[in-house]
Amino acid sequence: MHTTSDTLALIGNTPLVLLKGPSQAAGAEIFGKCEFVNPGASVKDRAALFIVEDAEARGTLQAGGIIVEGTAGNTGIGLALVANAKGYRTIIVMPETQSREKMDTLRALGAELVLVPAAAYSSPCHFVHTSRRIAEETPGAIWANQFDNVANRRAHVVGTAEEIWAQMEGRVDGFTCAAGTGGTIAGVGLGLKAKDERVRIALSDPHGAALYDYYAHGELRSEGSSVAEGIGQGRITANLEGAPIDTQFRISDAEGYSWVRRLLDEEGLCLGLSSGINVAGAVRLAQQLGAGSRVATILCDTGFRYLSTLHDPAWRAEKGLV
């Protein structure tokens, strides 16, 4: 029986599962990386661990220090767990529009939670800028800076991409996911391209984000809106610089949610909307690549984190997501 004596070693090495419904729809094999198996129940645990250990290696994070971050929730949860295991404190700044489950989880983990109104990135009140100011004003604190800290991307180059390649026995035709910080798609893309330049990397962008038009037409321009949490980007972050994006899809909330429902009803997977958008993108990519292709995507986090939002019928009706 395999055991580990280090709880942080539980991060990563997540299972890869063949998704039957999406595979049948695409006439291909579509695999989902089960990132909800991480201790913090999301893919963001990987970035959290690498960001903290990078700060330790550079000497900017000292014993008893404080980690400050602005996040839609999941990175904050990952940072809080890593910080607890290593003896640090966390201050997490989050938009007040995020799910109650994320807020409750962060408080339960012992993080100091600072809620701010949702604001455009250009506003000094944006959660990222607020977290930077708090870090600058707090003795012994570092700013995790997940959007522009490339330790985030490195977690996926040396971790997620290597795992996907090994689990699929080197037979990978394509990979897709959405971008929040850009760390996952850029890191996995770079890692898989290093194995085989022919692997096709696709961005699955929600409405309201600007990256679809950037990669399609060279212009950062958004269209529509999305209720998906933690994905969608309006700028080229440091993690996205040099990302090997070959093609791009714009995925609606309705299309993403249809896969969330199907995967729950038909395959027993309870996921969030970002996972549904990723799966919708994987179906499109596999259809583009042709029958028999093999495509991987990210199942970002657990749907149990969205019981008061996505999985609540009254909330969906209010958002017009039926």
Side-chain angles (χ1 to χ4, degrees), residues 212-245:
Y212 172 85
D213 268 328
Y214 177 79
Y215 289 109
H217 309 295
E219 178 186 4
L220 283 166
R221 186 172 62 86
S222 62
E223 176 183 301
S225 63
S226 172
V227 297
E229 297 185 19
I231 58 172
Q233 183 54 258
R235 66 185 180 95
I236 301 301
T237 65
N239 280 294
L240 275 170
E241 290 176 3
I245 310 284

PDB file of all heavy atoms in Angstrom, residues 212-245:
ATOM      1  N   TYR A 212     -10.369  35.367 -26.277  1.00  0.00           N
ATOM      2  CA  TYR A 212     -10.793  34.753 -27.542  1.00  0.00           C
ATOM      3  C   TYR A 212     -10.438  35.671 -28.707  1.00  0.00           C
ATOM      4  O   TYR A 212      -9.808  35.246 -29.676  1.00  0.00           O
ATOM      5  CB  TYR A 212     -12.287  34.460 -27.534  1.00  0.00           C
ATOM      6  CG  TYR A 212     -12.802  34.003 -28.874  1.00  0.00           C
ATOM      7  CD1 TYR A 212     -12.720  32.661 -29.253  1.00  0.00           C
ATOM      8  CD2 TYR A 212     -13.335  34.915 -29.788  1.00  0.00           C
ATOM      9  CE1 TYR A 212     -13.171  32.246 -30.495  1.00  0.00           C
ATOM     10  CE2 TYR A 212     -13.782  34.499 -31.029  1.00  0.00           C
ATOM     11  CZ  TYR A 212     -13.695  33.167 -31.384  1.00  0.00           C
ATOM     12  OH  TYR A 212     -14.123  32.764 -32.623  1.00  0.00           O
ATOM     13  N   ASP A 213     -10.825  36.917 -28.622  1.00  0.00           N
ATOM     14  CA  ASP A 213     -10.534  37.857 -29.710  1.00  0.00           C
ATOM     15  C   ASP A 213      -9.047  38.144 -29.826  1.00  0.00           C
ATOM     16  O   ASP A 213      -8.548  38.395 -30.928  1.00  0.00           O
ATOM     17  CB  ASP A 213     -11.307  39.164 -29.504  1.00  0.00           C
ATOM     18  CG  ASP A 213     -12.657  39.145 -30.210  1.00  0.00           C
ATOM     19  OD1 ASP A 213     -12.756  38.497 -31.264  1.00  0.00           O
ATOM     20  OD2 ASP A 213     -13.610  39.754 -29.702  1.00  0.00           O
ATOM     21  N   TYR A 214      -8.341  38.103 -28.721  1.00  0.00           N
ATOM     22  CA  TYR A 214      -6.897  38.351 -28.772  1.00  0.00           C
ATOM     23  C   TYR A 214      -6.200  37.275 -29.605  1.00  0.00           C
ATOM     24  O   TYR A 214      -5.396  37.571 -30.492  1.00  0.00           O
ATOM     25  CB  TYR A 214      -6.304  38.388 -27.370  1.00  0.00           C
ATOM     26  CG  TYR A 214      -4.802  38.579 -27.377  1.00  0.00           C
ATOM     27  CD1 TYR A 214      -4.246  39.834 -27.571  1.00  0.00           C
ATOM     28  CD2 TYR A 214      -3.944  37.492 -27.218  1.00  0.00           C
ATOM     29  CE1 TYR A 214      -2.872  40.010 -27.593  1.00  0.00           C
ATOM     30  CE2 TYR A 214      -2.569  37.654 -27.237  1.00  0.00           C
ATOM     31  CZ  TYR A 214      -2.037  38.918 -27.426  1.00  0.00           C
ATOM     32  OH  TYR A 214      -0.670  39.074 -27.463  1.00  0.00           O
ATOM     33  N   TYR A 215      -6.513  36.014 -29.327  1.00  0.00           N
ATOM     34  CA  TYR A 215      -5.854  34.929 -30.061  1.00  0.00           C
ATOM     35  C   TYR A 215      -6.434  34.742 -31.461  1.00  0.00           C
ATOM     36  O   TYR A 215      -5.743  34.262 -32.361  1.00  0.00           O
ATOM     37  CB  TYR A 215      -5.915  33.630 -29.253  1.00  0.00           C
ATOM     38  CG  TYR A 215      -5.010  33.675 -28.040  1.00  0.00           C
ATOM     39  CD1 TYR A 215      -5.536  33.761 -26.761  1.00  0.00           C
ATOM     40  CD2 TYR A 215      -3.628  33.684 -28.189  1.00  0.00           C
ATOM     41  CE1 TYR A 215      -4.706  33.827 -25.647  1.00  0.00           C
ATOM     42  CE2 TYR A 215      -2.782  33.748 -27.081  1.00  0.00           C
ATOM     43  CZ  TYR A 215      -3.336  33.831 -25.823  1.00  0.00           C
ATOM     44  OH  TYR A 215      -2.501  33.912 -24.720  1.00  0.00           O
ATOM     45  N   ALA A 216      -7.688  35.143 -31.652  1.00  0.00           N
ATOM     46  CA  ALA A 216      -8.296  35.007 -32.981  1.00  0.00           C
ATOM     47  C   ALA A 216      -7.942  36.175 -33.889  1.00  0.00           C
ATOM     48  O   ALA A 216      -7.701  35.997 -35.088  1.00  0.00           O
ATOM     49  CB  ALA A 216      -9.816  34.893 -32.850  1.00  0.00           C
ATOM     50  N   HIS A 217      -7.882  37.398 -33.313  1.00  0.00           N
ATOM     51  CA  HIS A 217      -7.747  38.600 -34.148  1.00  0.00           C
ATOM     52  C   HIS A 217      -6.672  39.571 -33.673  1.00  0.00           C
ATOM     53  O   HIS A 217      -6.507  40.637 -34.273  1.00  0.00           O
ATOM     54  CB  HIS A 217      -9.092  39.342 -34.217  1.00  0.00           C
ATOM     55  CG  HIS A 217     -10.248  38.461 -34.588  1.00  0.00           C
ATOM     56  ND1 HIS A 217     -10.343  37.841 -35.819  1.00  0.00           N
ATOM     57  CD2 HIS A 217     -11.353  38.088 -33.886  1.00  0.00           C
ATOM     58  CE1 HIS A 217     -11.463  37.133 -35.860  1.00  0.00           C
ATOM     59  NE2 HIS A 217     -12.086  37.252 -34.702  1.00  0.00           N
ATOM     60  N   GLY A 218      -5.970  39.228 -32.572  1.00  0.00           N
ATOM     61  CA  GLY A 218      -4.909  40.112 -32.097  1.00  0.00           C
ATOM     62  C   GLY A 218      -5.388  41.314 -31.326  1.00  0.00           C
ATOM     63  O   GLY A 218      -4.635  42.271 -31.113  1.00  0.00           O
ATOM     64  N   GLU A 219      -6.649  41.294 -30.877  1.00  0.00           N
ATOM     65  CA  GLU A 219      -7.202  42.436 -30.163  1.00  0.00           C
ATOM     66  C   GLU A 219      -7.894  41.966 -28.898  1.00  0.00           C
ATOM     67  O   GLU A 219      -8.711  41.036 -28.928  1.00  0.00           O
ATOM     68  CB  GLU A 219      -8.214  43.155 -31.062  1.00  0.00           C
ATOM     69  CG  GLU A 219      -8.904  44.340 -30.403  1.00  0.00           C
ATOM     70  CD  GLU A 219     -10.010  44.937 -31.261  1.00  0.00           C
ATOM     71  OE1 GLU A 219     -10.294  44.379 -32.350  1.00  0.00           O
ATOM     72  OE2 GLU A 219     -10.594  45.937 -30.832  1.00  0.00           O
ATOM     73  N   LEU A 220      -7.565  42.602 -27.750  1.00  0.00           N
ATOM     74  CA  LEU A 220      -8.236  42.281 -26.499  1.00  0.00           C
ATOM     75  C   LEU A 220      -9.612  42.939 -26.496  1.00  0.00           C
ATOM     76  O   LEU A 220      -9.735  44.151 -26.346  1.00  0.00           O
ATOM     77  CB  LEU A 220      -7.405  42.777 -25.311  1.00  0.00           C
ATOM     78  CG  LEU A 220      -6.182  41.930 -24.935  1.00  0.00           C
ATOM     79  CD1 LEU A 220      -5.280  42.699 -23.994  1.00  0.00           C
ATOM     80  CD2 LEU A 220      -6.613  40.603 -24.317  1.00  0.00           C
ATOM     81  N   ARG A 221     -10.647  42.128 -26.682  1.00  0.00           N
ATOM     82  CA  ARG A 221     -12.000  42.670 -26.758  1.00  0.00           C
ATOM     83  C   ARG A 221     -12.970  41.632 -26.208  1.00  0.00           C
ATOM     84  O   ARG A 221     -12.916  40.462 -26.574  1.00  0.00           O
ATOM     85  CB  ARG A 221     -12.363  43.008 -28.206  1.00  0.00           C
ATOM     86  CG  ARG A 221     -13.704  43.701 -28.375  1.00  0.00           C
ATOM     87  CD  ARG A 221     -13.883  44.162 -29.826  1.00  0.00           C
ATOM     88  NE  ARG A 221     -13.883  43.031 -30.747  1.00  0.00           N
ATOM     89  CZ  ARG A 221     -14.984  42.320 -31.057  1.00  0.00           C
ATOM     90  NH1 ARG A 221     -16.137  42.648 -30.529  1.00  0.00           N
ATOM     91  NH2 ARG A 221     -14.909  41.317 -31.907  1.00  0.00           N
ATOM     92  N   SER A 222     -13.839  42.078 -25.320  1.00  0.00           N
ATOM     93  CA  SER A 222     -14.776  41.144 -24.696  1.00  0.00           C
ATOM     94  C   SER A 222     -16.154  41.260 -25.333  1.00  0.00           C
ATOM     95  O   SER A 222     -16.487  42.263 -25.967  1.00  0.00           O
ATOM     96  CB  SER A 222     -14.882  41.418 -23.194  1.00  0.00           C
ATOM     97  OG  SER A 222     -15.371  42.715 -22.958  1.00  0.00           O
ATOM     98  N   GLU A 223     -16.946  40.218 -25.130  1.00  0.00           N
ATOM     99  CA  GLU A 223     -18.303  40.175 -25.669  1.00  0.00           C
ATOM    100  C   GLU A 223     -19.176  39.384 -24.716  1.00  0.00           C
ATOM    101  O   GLU A 223     -18.845  38.260 -24.347  1.00  0.00           O
ATOM    102  CB  GLU A 223     -18.291  39.502 -27.050  1.00  0.00           C
ATOM    103  CG  GLU A 223     -19.662  39.321 -27.678  1.00  0.00           C
ATOM    104  CD  GLU A 223     -19.578  38.577 -29.009  1.00  0.00           C
ATOM    105  OE1 GLU A 223     -18.888  39.073 -29.912  1.00  0.00           O
ATOM    106  OE2 GLU A 223     -20.191  37.505 -29.120  1.00  0.00           O
ATOM    107  N   GLY A 224     -20.287  39.987 -24.288  1.00  0.00           N
ATOM    108  CA  GLY A 224     -21.210  39.287 -23.404  1.00  0.00           C
ATOM    109  C   GLY A 224     -20.695  39.201 -21.977  1.00  0.00           C
ATOM    110  O   GLY A 224     -19.820  39.971 -21.554  1.00  0.00           O
ATOM    111  N   SER A 225     -21.218  38.239 -21.237  1.00  0.00           N
ATOM    112  CA  SER A 225     -20.833  38.064 -19.837  1.00  0.00           C
ATOM    113  C   SER A 225     -21.007  36.606 -19.441  1.00  0.00           C
ATOM    114  O   SER A 225     -21.639  35.822 -20.142  1.00  0.00           O
ATOM    115  CB  SER A 225     -21.687  38.957 -18.931  1.00  0.00           C
ATOM    116  OG  SER A 225     -23.050  38.579 -19.015  1.00  0.00           O
ATOM    117  N   SER A 226     -20.408  36.256 -18.298  1.00  0.00           N
ATOM    118  CA  SER A 226     -20.468  34.885 -17.797  1.00  0.00           C
ATOM    119  C   SER A 226     -20.594  34.909 -16.287  1.00  0.00           C
ATOM    120  O   SER A 226     -20.105  35.833 -15.624  1.00  0.00           O
ATOM    121  CB  SER A 226     -19.203  34.119 -18.200  1.00  0.00           C
ATOM    122  OG  SER A 226     -19.157  32.851 -17.565  1.00  0.00           O
ATOM    123  N   VAL A 227     -21.237  33.886 -15.731  1.00  0.00           N
ATOM    124  CA  VAL A 227     -21.323  33.756 -14.279  1.00  0.00           C
ATOM    125  C   VAL A 227     -20.280  32.783 -13.745  1.00  0.00           C
ATOM    126  O   VAL A 227     -20.228  32.517 -12.547  1.00  0.00           O
ATOM    127  CB  VAL A 227     -22.737  33.302 -13.832  1.00  0.00           C
ATOM    128  CG1 VAL A 227     -23.778  34.347 -14.195  1.00  0.00           C
ATOM    129  CG2 VAL A 227     -23.100  31.938 -14.425  1.00  0.00           C
ATOM    130  N   ALA A 228     -19.425  32.254 -14.625  1.00  0.00           N
ATOM    131  CA  ALA A 228     -18.374  31.328 -14.195  1.00  0.00           C
ATOM    132  C   ALA A 228     -17.388  32.046 -13.281  1.00  0.00           C
ATOM    133  O   ALA A 228     -16.996  33.183 -13.541  1.00  0.00           O
ATOM    134  CB  ALA A 228     -17.646  30.747 -15.398  1.00  0.00           C
ATOM    135  N   GLU A 229     -16.982  31.393 -12.205  1.00  0.00           N
ATOM    136  CA  GLU A 229     -16.050  31.979 -11.251  1.00  0.00           C
ATOM    137  C   GLU A 229     -14.629  31.522 -11.546  1.00  0.00           C
ATOM    138  O   GLU A 229     -14.384  30.354 -11.856  1.00  0.00           O
ATOM    139  CB  GLU A 229     -16.429  31.585  -9.818  1.00  0.00           C
ATOM    140  CG  GLU A 229     -17.783  32.109  -9.383  1.00  0.00           C
ATOM    141  CD  GLU A 229     -18.090  31.816  -7.918  1.00  0.00           C
ATOM    142  OE1 GLU A 229     -17.152  31.531  -7.161  1.00  0.00           O
ATOM    143  OE2 GLU A 229     -19.274  31.871  -7.539  1.00  0.00           O
ATOM    144  N   GLY A 230     -13.680  32.454 -11.429  1.00  0.00           N
ATOM    145  CA  GLY A 230     -12.268  32.095 -11.485  1.00  0.00           C
ATOM    146  C   GLY A 230     -11.672  31.980 -12.872  1.00  0.00           C
ATOM    147  O   GLY A 230     -10.479  31.711 -13.003  1.00  0.00           O
ATOM    148  N   ILE A 231     -12.493  32.154 -13.933  1.00  0.00           N
ATOM    149  CA  ILE A 231     -11.952  32.124 -15.288  1.00  0.00           C
ATOM    150  C   ILE A 231     -12.403  33.374 -16.029  1.00  0.00           C
ATOM    151  O   ILE A 231     -13.329  34.072 -15.604  1.00  0.00           O
ATOM    152  CB  ILE A 231     -12.366  30.864 -16.071  1.00  0.00           C
ATOM    153  CG1 ILE A 231     -13.902  30.749 -16.159  1.00  0.00           C
ATOM    154  CG2 ILE A 231     -11.757  29.621 -15.451  1.00  0.00           C
ATOM    155  CD1 ILE A 231     -14.379  29.636 -17.078  1.00  0.00           C
ATOM    156  N   GLY A 232     -11.743  33.640 -17.150  1.00  0.00           N
ATOM    157  CA  GLY A 232     -12.017  34.848 -17.916  1.00  0.00           C
ATOM    158  C   GLY A 232     -10.964  35.889 -17.596  1.00  0.00           C
ATOM    159  O   GLY A 232     -10.668  36.158 -16.430  1.00  0.00           O
ATOM    160  N   GLN A 233     -10.354  36.444 -18.631  1.00  0.00           N
ATOM    161  CA  GLN A 233      -9.245  37.370 -18.440  1.00  0.00           C
ATOM    162  C   GLN A 233      -9.321  38.475 -19.472  1.00  0.00           C
ATOM    163  O   GLN A 233      -9.674  38.228 -20.631  1.00  0.00           O
ATOM    164  CB  GLN A 233      -7.901  36.622 -18.539  1.00  0.00           C
ATOM    165  CG  GLN A 233      -6.669  37.449 -18.283  1.00  0.00           C
ATOM    166  CD  GLN A 233      -6.728  38.171 -16.948  1.00  0.00           C
ATOM    167  OE1 GLN A 233      -7.009  39.366 -16.894  1.00  0.00           O
ATOM    168  NE2 GLN A 233      -6.500  37.429 -15.867  1.00  0.00           N
ATOM    169  N   GLY A 234      -8.968  39.689 -19.058  1.00  0.00           N
ATOM    170  CA  GLY A 234      -9.017  40.829 -19.970  1.00  0.00           C
ATOM    171  C   GLY A 234      -7.666  41.382 -20.331  1.00  0.00           C
ATOM    172  O   GLY A 234      -7.569  42.420 -20.991  1.00  0.00           O
ATOM    173  N   ARG A 235      -6.596  40.714 -19.904  1.00  0.00           N
ATOM    174  CA  ARG A 235      -5.249  41.184 -20.216  1.00  0.00           C
ATOM    175  C   ARG A 235      -4.314  39.989 -20.391  1.00  0.00           C
ATOM    176  O   ARG A 235      -4.671  38.857 -20.041  1.00  0.00           O
ATOM    177  CB  ARG A 235      -4.716  42.098 -19.102  1.00  0.00           C
ATOM    178  CG  ARG A 235      -4.495  41.387 -17.765  1.00  0.00           C
ATOM    179  CD  ARG A 235      -4.084  42.365 -16.679  1.00  0.00           C
ATOM    180  NE  ARG A 235      -3.880  41.700 -15.390  1.00  0.00           N
ATOM    181  CZ  ARG A 235      -2.697  41.278 -14.936  1.00  0.00           C
ATOM    182  NH1 ARG A 235      -1.591  41.461 -15.667  1.00  0.00           N
ATOM    183  NH2 ARG A 235      -2.603  40.684 -13.754  1.00  0.00           N
ATOM    184  N   ILE A 236      -3.140  40.258 -20.927  1.00  0.00           N
ATOM    185  CA  ILE A 236      -2.134  39.206 -21.054  1.00  0.00           C
ATOM    186  C   ILE A 236      -1.273  39.239 -19.797  1.00  0.00           C
ATOM    187  O   ILE A 236      -0.436  40.124 -19.610  1.00  0.00           O
ATOM    188  CB  ILE A 236      -1.273  39.399 -22.318  1.00  0.00           C
ATOM    189  CG1 ILE A 236      -2.165  39.385 -23.554  1.00  0.00           C
ATOM    190  CG2 ILE A 236      -0.214  38.302 -22.406  1.00  0.00           C
ATOM    191  CD1 ILE A 236      -2.966  38.115 -23.746  1.00  0.00           C
ATOM    192  N   THR A 237      -1.508  38.293 -18.918  1.00  0.00           N
ATOM    193  CA  THR A 237      -0.732  38.199 -17.681  1.00  0.00           C
ATOM    194  C   THR A 237       0.664  37.667 -17.997  1.00  0.00           C
ATOM    195  O   THR A 237       0.922  37.143 -19.089  1.00  0.00           O
ATOM    196  CB  THR A 237      -1.411  37.238 -16.704  1.00  0.00           C
ATOM    197  OG1 THR A 237      -1.392  35.913 -17.282  1.00  0.00           O
ATOM    198  CG2 THR A 237      -2.852  37.639 -16.432  1.00  0.00           C
ATOM    199  N   ALA A 238       1.561  37.768 -17.019  1.00  0.00           N
ATOM    200  CA  ALA A 238       2.906  37.206 -17.211  1.00  0.00           C
ATOM    201  C   ALA A 238       2.841  35.703 -17.448  1.00  0.00           C
ATOM    202  O   ALA A 238       3.645  35.145 -18.210  1.00  0.00           O
ATOM    203  CB  ALA A 238       3.778  37.516 -15.996  1.00  0.00           C
ATOM    204  N   ASN A 239       1.875  35.038 -16.819  1.00  0.00           N
ATOM    205  CA  ASN A 239       1.737  33.595 -17.032  1.00  0.00           C
ATOM    206  C   ASN A 239       1.296  33.263 -18.451  1.00  0.00           C
ATOM    207  O   ASN A 239       1.605  32.194 -18.966  1.00  0.00           O
ATOM    208  CB  ASN A 239       0.748  33.013 -16.019  1.00  0.00           C
ATOM    209  CG  ASN A 239       1.377  32.795 -14.664  1.00  0.00           C
ATOM    210  OD1 ASN A 239       2.264  31.974 -14.515  1.00  0.00           O
ATOM    211  ND2 ASN A 239       0.931  33.545 -13.667  1.00  0.00           N
ATOM    212  N   LEU A 240       0.569  34.178 -19.103  1.00  0.00           N
ATOM    213  CA  LEU A 240       0.094  33.931 -20.465  1.00  0.00           C
ATOM    214  C   LEU A 240       1.120  34.294 -21.542  1.00  0.00           C
ATOM    215  O   LEU A 240       0.961  33.888 -22.689  1.00  0.00           O
ATOM    216  CB  LEU A 240      -1.195  34.721 -20.725  1.00  0.00           C
ATOM    217  CG  LEU A 240      -2.503  34.064 -20.290  1.00  0.00           C
ATOM    218  CD1 LEU A 240      -3.644  35.051 -20.377  1.00  0.00           C
ATOM    219  CD2 LEU A 240      -2.802  32.818 -21.119  1.00  0.00           C
ATOM    220  N   GLU A 241       2.133  35.051 -21.170  1.00  0.00           N
ATOM    221  CA  GLU A 241       3.119  35.467 -22.168  1.00  0.00           C
ATOM    222  C   GLU A 241       3.804  34.239 -22.770  1.00  0.00           C
ATOM    223  O   GLU A 241       4.332  33.399 -22.062  1.00  0.00           O
ATOM    224  CB  GLU A 241       4.152  36.400 -21.544  1.00  0.00           C
ATOM    225  CG  GLU A 241       3.588  37.774 -21.190  1.00  0.00           C
ATOM    226  CD  GLU A 241       4.597  38.661 -20.495  1.00  0.00           C
ATOM    227  OE1 GLU A 241       5.759  38.242 -20.339  1.00  0.00           O
ATOM    228  OE2 GLU A 241       4.212  39.780 -20.103  1.00  0.00           O
ATOM    229  N   GLY A 242       3.766  34.140 -24.087  1.00  0.00           N
ATOM    230  CA  GLY A 242       4.390  33.006 -24.764  1.00  0.00           C
ATOM    231  C   GLY A 242       3.583  31.727 -24.720  1.00  0.00           C
ATOM    232  O   GLY A 242       4.084  30.664 -25.117  1.00  0.00           O
ATOM    233  N   ALA A 243       2.334  31.791 -24.245  1.00  0.00           N
ATOM    234  CA  ALA A 243       1.499  30.581 -24.208  1.00  0.00           C
ATOM    235  C   ALA A 243       1.276  30.064 -25.620  1.00  0.00           C
ATOM    236  O   ALA A 243       0.908  30.825 -26.511  1.00  0.00           O
ATOM    237  CB  ALA A 243       0.159  30.881 -23.547  1.00  0.00           C
ATOM    238  N   PRO A 244       1.494  28.777 -25.853  1.00  0.00           N
ATOM    239  CA  PRO A 244       1.403  28.231 -27.217  1.00  0.00           C
ATOM    240  C   PRO A 244      -0.035  27.887 -27.615  1.00  0.00           C
ATOM    241  O   PRO A 244      -0.389  26.719 -27.786  1.00  0.00           O
ATOM    242  CB  PRO A 244       2.280  26.979 -27.139  1.00  0.00           C
ATOM    243  CG  PRO A 244       2.100  26.500 -25.726  1.00  0.00           C
ATOM    244  CD  PRO A 244       1.930  27.746 -24.887  1.00  0.00           C
ATOM    245  N   ILE A 245      -0.873  28.900 -27.776  1.00  0.00           N
ATOM    246  CA  ILE A 245      -2.281  28.694 -28.122  1.00  0.00           C
ATOM    247  C   ILE A 245      -2.412  28.531 -29.635  1.00  0.00           C
ATOM    248  O   ILE A 245      -2.077  29.440 -30.391  1.00  0.00           O
ATOM    249  CB  ILE A 245      -3.134  29.887 -27.647  1.00  0.00           C
ATOM    250  CG1 ILE A 245      -2.863  30.223 -26.183  1.00  0.00           C
ATOM    251  CG2 ILE A 245      -4.615  29.620 -27.925  1.00  0.00           C
ATOM    252  CD1 ILE A 245      -3.456  29.351 -25.174  1.00  0.00           C
TER     253      ILE A 245
END
